[in-house]
């Protein structure tokens, strides 16, 4: 055990029972008095001195030999072995087991959410690359895993609508798009609904409905060649069905306007060509039937025009 002298009273006291205050070594009594006389003294300035020869745990006295330090505190060899190899108490082991079990149970119960999130992200990747069938399978799986999350089912309906539209099943496509609610503009849902609705009216030979939808779409997109051409197409259907020459005249006017906006686009998809065939023959056929009959580009001329 080491001893130090109090700088105030000169008493020799064990180092572990002495204090260092503002850089001064004091015994307990003098340290207490000094603190009372200096109320503004900060706690950071008061330090209890440690004796490196006294074990902080069991108090074993090493004489003049200092103990090794554990966590910056003097610790005898026996106590150091105890601290370093101390077994966890039973209650702590039990608590750790309960926590581990809770983590496993929580992970298992929420695994479906992790799956759904992964499938949702993968679905967007497939959708961005134009693989709507693969995206549909992923969104449907995500929806099955988390049926309470309606966004997944909406995305599945969107992909299902794309699939039906590609298959020319416009009526089913429209049903799917109508349950999608509102999606961000980059999904193009407004245009898809128009094409599905117009296609449904066309398939049902409801050309008045087709014309009404086309005129509404053109009104919202007056600078789009294809929007104007859709009105021309609907007017051609009305002429084919009724023989009313006013529909013929209006259809040709719209077709001319569409060509002025973007003739190349109308020629690339043979859209203008098909409208002229409809006006010339007064026969309304599908795109597939037209391409079957006329695999090569045609130059239809209307008599008297």
């Amino acid at each position: 055990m080491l001893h130090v002298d109090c700088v105030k009273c000169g008493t020799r006291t064990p180092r572990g029972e002495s204090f260092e205050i503002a850089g001064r070594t004091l015994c307990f009594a003098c340290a207490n008095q000094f603190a009372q006389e200096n109320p503004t003294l900060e706690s950071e300035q008061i330090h209890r001195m440690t004796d490196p020869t006294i074990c902080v745990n069991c108090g074993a006295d090493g004489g003049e030999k200092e103990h090794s330090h554990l966590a910056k505190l003097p610790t005898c060899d026996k106590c150091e072995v105890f601290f370093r190899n101390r077994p966890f108490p039973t209650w702590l082991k039990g608590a750790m087991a309960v926590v581990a079990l809770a983590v496993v149970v929580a992970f298992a119960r929420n695994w479906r959410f992790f799956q759904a999130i992964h499938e949702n992200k993968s679905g967007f990747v497939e959708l961005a690359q134009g693989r709507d069938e693969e995206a549909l399978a992923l969104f449907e799986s995500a929806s099955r895993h988390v049926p309470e999350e309606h966004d997944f089912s909406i995305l599945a309906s969107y992909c299902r609508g794309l699939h039906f539209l590609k298959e020319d099943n416009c009526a089913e496509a429209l049903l799917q798009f109508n349950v999608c609610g509102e999606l961000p503009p980059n999904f193009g849902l407004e245009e898809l609904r128009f094409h599905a609705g117009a296609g449904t009216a066309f398939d049902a030979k409801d050309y008045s409905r087709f014309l009404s939808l086309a005129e509404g779409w053109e009104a919202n997109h007056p600078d789009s060649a294809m929007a104007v051409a859709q009105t021309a197409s609907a007017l051609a259907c009305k002429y084919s069905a009724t023989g009313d020459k006013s529909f013929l005249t209006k259809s040709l006017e719209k077709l001319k306007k569409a060509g002025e906006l973007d003739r190349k686009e109308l020629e690339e998809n043979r859209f203008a060509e098909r409208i002229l065939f409809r006006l010339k023959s007064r026969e309304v056929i599908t795109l597939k039937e037209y391409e079957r009959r006329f695999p090569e580009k045609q130059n239809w001329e209307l008599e008297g025009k």
Side-chain angles (χ1 to χ4, degrees):
M1 178 183 296
L2 301 180
H3 292 77
V4 294
D5 296 326
C6 176
V7 297
K8 185 174 183 181
C9 69
T11 303
R12 188 169 182 78
T13 58
R15 178 184 175 92
E17 299 175 7
S18 302
F19 291 83
E20 183 178 350
I21 302 179
R24 305 168 70 185
T25 301
L26 300 171
C27 64
F28 176 79
C30 292
N32 186 45
Q33 182 181 359
F34 185 84
Q36 293 178 357
E37 293 173 352
N38 297 273
T40 59
L41 193 66
E42 296 181 0
S43 59
E44 291 79 5
Q45 295 178 281
I46 305 174
H47 302 282
R48 181 160 187 166
M49 303 180 73
T50 58
D51 187 344
T53 65
I54 302 297
C55 176
V56 71
N57 182 54
C58 68
D61 190 347
E64 297 295 324
K65 180 182 177 182
E66 296 185 6
H67 293 301
S68 58
H69 283 68
L70 184 65
K72 298 183 179 181
L73 295 173
T75 311
C76 68
D77 294 341
K78 182 179 179 180
C79 290
E80 182 177 358
V81 171
F82 171 76
F83 285 127
R84 291 188 183 278
N85 300 284
R86 185 175 184 179
F88 288 109
T90 303
W91 69 266
L92 183 57
K93 291 180 180 179
M96 291 176 64
V98 171
V99 170
L101 180 61
V103 170
V104 171
V105 171
F107 189 80
R109 292 188 62 182
N110 291 289
W111 176 244
R112 62 191 183 98
F113 291 99
F114 296 123
Q115 284 182 299
I117 291 172
H118 174 70
E119 290 164 340
N120 187 53
K121 290 183 177 180
S122 299
F124 275 112
V125 172
E126 297 293 342
L127 192 60
Q129 296 179 0
R131 296 194 289 266
D132 49 272
E133 290 188 31
E134 290 80 356
L136 171 59
L138 288 163
F139 289 137
E140 285 181 331
S141 181
S143 182
R144 286 193 297 271
H145 285 131
V146 191
E148 65 269 31
E149 180 50 66
H150 298 301
D151 286 347
F152 296 144
S153 61
I154 287 174
L155 291 169
S157 295
Y158 176 81
C159 291
R160 208 174 288 117
L162 292 177
H163 173 72
F164 284 131
L165 201 58
K166 286 182 179 180
E167 295 294 319
D168 289 330
N169 191 342
C170 295
E172 287 297 329
L174 184 60
L175 288 174
Q176 296 300 321
F177 292 141
N178 282 341
V179 299
C180 287
E182 296 300 325
L183 289 172
N186 59 306
F187 281 82
L189 189 58
E190 180 187 8
E191 184 173 1
L192 291 170
R193 280 175 174 156
F194 162 70
H195 286 298
T200 300
F202 177 87
D203 293 339
K205 302 187 185 305
D206 187 352
Y207 301 134
S208 295
R209 174 63 176 165
F210 180 19
L211 178 58
S212 176
L213 290 170
E215 288 177 334
W217 184 253
E218 181 190 353
N220 292 327
H221 304 83
D223 298 325
S224 167
M226 288 304 298
V228 178
Q230 286 286 356
T231 303
S233 176
L235 287 165
C237 288
K238 290 286 290 184
Y239 170 65
S240 299
T242 66
D244 187 337
K245 291 288 183 70
S246 65
F247 290 122
L248 170 64
T249 302
K250 291 177 182 178
S251 180
L252 290 172
E253 289 174 353
K254 290 292 183 181
L255 194 57
K256 180 181 178 182
K257 179 182 176 181
E260 291 171 351
L261 288 169
D262 194 337
R263 181 172 299 278
K264 183 179 179 181
E265 184 178 14
L266 298 181
E267 291 178 350
E268 284 180 348
N269 58 25
R270 302 179 70 188
F271 199 62
E273 177 187 324
R274 289 186 281 122
I275 294 174
L276 289 171
F277 166 78
R278 190 176 299 163
L279 293 172
K280 181 178 177 64
S281 65
R282 287 188 59 189
E283 184 181 5
V284 180
I285 58 177
T286 64
L287 170 61
K288 288 183 179 180
E289 176 62 17
Y290 183 85
E291 291 178 338
R292 187 190 68 80
R293 291 191 198 179
F294 312 106
E296 302 296 331
K297 183 178 180 181
Q298 303 293 314
N299 185 21
W300 304 107
E301 293 185 3
L302 302 183
E303 297 178 3
K305 295 293 179 182

